[in-house]
Amino acid sequence: MVKIAPKSSQPTSEVEPAVYVIDDDAGIRDSLGLLFRSVGLRAELFRSANEFLQRKLPSIPSCLVLDVRLPGLSGFELHAELTRVNVQIPIIFITAHGDIPMSVRAMKAGAVDFITKPFRDQDMLDAVTSAITRDRTRLDAERARFDLQGLFASLTSREQEVMSLVATGLMNKQIAAHVGLSEITVKIHRGHAMQKMHAKSLADLVKMAEALGI
């Protein structure tokens, strides 16, 4: 089963993105590998879905160029499996036997593009560029949320409680009455929470709470 490596602290803008290609046609695999490498992308080539499932994926901007018809697991079956285990890699389906119902099925399942063979190199590069940009945005959002969770975990239980109540819009006096503390004590806890969360304002703290879902 495909596994995702632990998150890297390196900004995604500084990480070399990767394109994974799964196609049982060696000629297609090799030509796509050359195409992607010619524009500075890292390309990894696989003959089957099962071979790809053995790969431990690094947490970097990437996308999957996936043939619909494969020996063993089909492209659609692999897509369903990746969705089931929450591997959120953008997928571009390719096929020599495409039709409208097949393309509709792919897009409804969440594919970012559906390209029929033979295809223009530029069309493929445009699709891959868009998919990697999308994945970079997702990873940046995940990393920001992961960092926020770490900051929130550094708060004391009382500071977490006060931050949660601040996020609901309660004033210090109301929070004090709710938790049974003095207003000045609540103000101190709120100040500590803002400092530890690196919040520049009360509005920042509220936005962080919303992002954390608290």
Side-chain angles (χ1 to χ4, degrees), residues 3-214:
K3 296 181 179 180
I4 301 293
K7 291 182 176 67
S8 168
S9 60
Q10 188 175 7
T12 58
S13 59
E14 299 176 10
V15 177
E16 179 187 25
V19 184
Y20 305 104
V21 178
I22 309 177
D23 198 307
D24 59 336
D25 185 322
I28 294 291
R29 285 200 310 274
D30 292 342
S31 64
L32 284 174
L34 288 172
L35 174 64
F36 298 140
R37 290 169 188 140
S38 72
V39 294
L41 295 171
R42 191 175 92 196
E44 295 189 29
L45 314 177
F46 303 87
R47 293 169 294 179
S48 68
N50 287 329
E51 184 181 357
F52 175 73
L53 285 171
Q54 305 307 310
R55 176 71 163 92
K56 186 173 184 179
L57 299 181
S59 183
I60 61 174
S62 58
C63 71
L64 175 60
V65 177
L66 177 61
D67 193 10
V68 172
R69 297 188 177 183
L70 293 167
L73 282 179
S74 71
F76 285 137
E77 289 170 335
L78 174 61
H79 191 188
E81 174 64 12
L82 294 176
T83 300
R84 186 185 71 80
V85 297
N86 199 33
V87 175
Q88 301 179 48
I89 184 171
I91 295 179
I92 299 165
F93 278 109
I94 57 174
T95 182
H97 310 282
D99 54 30
I100 292 177
M102 185 181 291
S103 63
V104 170
R105 177 185 175 186
M107 302 308 283
K108 281 187 175 181
V112 299
D113 215 329
F114 187 91
I115 300 176
T116 56
K117 304 174 186 176
F119 44 77
R120 294 174 59 248
D121 287 352
Q122 191 58 53
D123 290 339
M124 177 59 70
L125 289 176
D126 288 346
V128 164
T129 298
S130 176
I132 288 176
T133 297
R134 170 174 168 170
D135 202 42
R136 179 177 282 111
T137 299
R138 176 186 67 83
L139 287 171
D140 285 343
E142 283 187 358
R143 184 169 287 106
R145 186 164 54 250
F146 181 78
D147 290 343
L148 275 181
Q149 289 169 345
L151 293 175
F152 186 70
S154 74
L155 304 184
T156 66
S157 58
R158 184 65 82 183
E159 288 164 355
Q160 290 180 351
E161 182 181 23
V162 168
M163 177 176 169
S164 300
L165 291 170
V166 166
T168 67
L170 295 180
M171 306 297 289
N172 288 346
K173 184 176 181 179
Q174 295 170 308
I175 295 173
H178 181 81
V179 299
L181 297 173
S182 68
E183 187 174 347
I184 188 63
T185 301
V186 168
K187 187 175 181 179
I188 291 171
H189 284 312
R190 190 185 77 177
H192 287 168
M194 290 183 63
Q195 183 179 28
K196 292 180 181 179
M197 294 297 296
H198 302 161
K200 297 179 180 179
S201 66
L202 182 59
D204 278 348
L205 194 68
V206 171
K207 288 178 181 178
M208 289 174 180
E210 291 175 347
L212 290 166
I214 61 173

